[in-house]
Amino acid sequence: MRRSWLRWLLVPLVVVPLAWLLFTGLGRDPRVIPSPLVGKPMPAFAGVTLEGDQFSSASLAGRPAIVNFWASYCIPSCVDEHPVLLDLAARHGAQLRMVGILVSDTPAGARGFLARYGEVSWPTLLNADGRATIDYGVTGPPETFFIDASGIVVAHHVGPLTPEVVAAELAALGIAP
């Protein structure tokens, strides 16, 4: 008799938390991954670009910036977002700075991607040691960080950028879409 009473006591203790976890977790958009960097200074990074030049995040200071993590193997997502990035640079390149950072990719792979889908006007950091990927908490390409002129991360987007996402994040940076 005593075991029966204990069993009825344990059932709600197990079922209620499990039900709450399922209820709150299943209602979330899996593409929305909160970043602990939002509202904080962007992590510093430095290294060699695809063109062989030195590049540092310090050169982004003073203007809003977009830091885009991508890879040549990231198909179709990086392919889908590439024209959005090209359009963004063409329309707003004078108002903001852009930098691409490779995620576990080779220079040859990146060059092939750019030759096929369109050359970019912004630097692409090789990120050979993966340090920038780790510091930004990137789980996989593409991921984009929107940085204000004072170097604070304003937003983080996981997945391919769309014109709608870009318009919303530019407004958050104070740039008219």
Side-chain angles (χ1 to χ4, degrees):
M1 198 68 163
R2 187 171 184 193
R3 280 185 189 229
S4 176
W5 179 80
L6 186 60
R7 192 176 313 152
W8 284 109
L9 179 64
L10 287 177
V11 168
L13 290 175
V14 172
V15 171
V16 170
L18 182 61
W20 179 254
L21 178 66
L22 290 172
F23 176 74
T24 58
L26 293 177
R28 293 190 181 136
D29 183 346
R31 294 170 295 174
V32 176
I33 300 172
S35 172
L37 295 179
V38 174
K40 296 182 179 157
M42 71 176 203
F45 57 86
V48 178
T49 67
L50 198 54
E51 295 78 28
D53 301 322
Q54 290 293 318
F55 184 85
S56 165
S57 57
S59 66
L60 301 175
R63 281 199 305 201
I66 293 176
V67 179
N68 177 256
F69 288 84
W70 68 281
S72 63
Y73 59 81
C74 167
I75 296 173
S77 296
C78 291
V79 173
D80 292 345
E81 91 168 351
H82 197 67
V84 175
L85 290 167
L86 291 172
D87 181 61
L88 175 62
R91 294 178 45 203
H92 300 287
Q95 298 169 291
L96 56 83
R97 293 188 168 113
M98 294 174 65
V99 62
I101 300 180
L102 291 177
V103 178
S104 302
D105 204 352
T106 64
R111 285 187 190 99
F113 180 96
L114 296 174
R116 183 172 192 170
Y117 299 108
E119 296 291 335
V120 298
S121 59
W122 56 89
T124 297
L125 193 67
L126 295 178
N127 190 29
D129 63 359
R131 172 75 16 232
T133 305
I134 294 167
D135 291 346
Y136 278 76
V138 171
T139 57
E143 290 191 34
T144 307
F145 292 82
F146 295 82
I147 318 293
D148 71 11
S150 61
I152 302 298
V153 177
V154 173
H156 170 224
H157 181 76
V158 176
L161 290 174
T162 64
E164 296 77 21
V165 168
V166 169
E169 300 308 345
L170 286 180
L173 290 173
I175 299 173

